[in-house]
Amino acid sequence: MESVKDRKLTAIHLRASLVERLRVEARRENLSLNSLVETLLQDALDRKPNPETLAAIEEARRGEYAGTLDVSSFDAFMKSVNAID
């Protein structure tokens, strides 16, 4: 984490129940509430899909058809999943 000098005081409004959940989690992780919230926000911003997922997202946006899944039985489902590759 950055030093205290790099921080900016910010006020946000959260539901009381969410703040309580965050406090409990911070206590459990032996962190301050501020450190927990900062870590959670940074993790959320840093989370990026892997290349395969990004490619699938782009295919879907272009309207490309990925195939059909057969959910009539587990065996049929597995065969249809393997056929998509």
Side-chain angles (χ1 to χ4, degrees):
M1 297 275 158
E2 288 90 32
S3 69
V4 174
K5 293 178 186 179
D6 295 335
R7 296 176 188 262
K8 180 175 178 163
L9 181 62
T10 305
I12 59 173
H13 298 271
L14 301 171
R15 290 184 325 273
S17 61
L18 176 57
V19 173
E20 185 54 32
R21 283 181 64 193
L22 290 166
R23 280 195 176 115
V24 168
E25 184 64 16
R27 240 179 272 127
R28 192 177 73 74
E29 294 290 329
N30 200 29
L31 295 170
S32 69
L33 177 61
N34 187 79
S35 291
L36 176 69
V37 170
E38 186 175 8
T39 299
L40 292 171
L41 289 172
Q42 190 65 53
D43 288 349
L45 290 173
D46 290 344
R47 195 173 310 127
K48 304 238 183 316
N50 64 38
E52 185 176 357
T53 302
L54 287 172
I57 291 168
E58 286 306 312
E59 285 176 9
R61 286 183 177 152
R62 289 191 304 267
E64 293 181 15
Y65 182 65
T68 303
L69 293 177
D70 182 351
V71 293
S72 61
S73 71
F74 182 73
D75 288 336
F77 171 73
M78 291 308 295
K79 286 179 186 173
S80 66
V81 167
N82 292 329
I84 292 174
D85 293 334

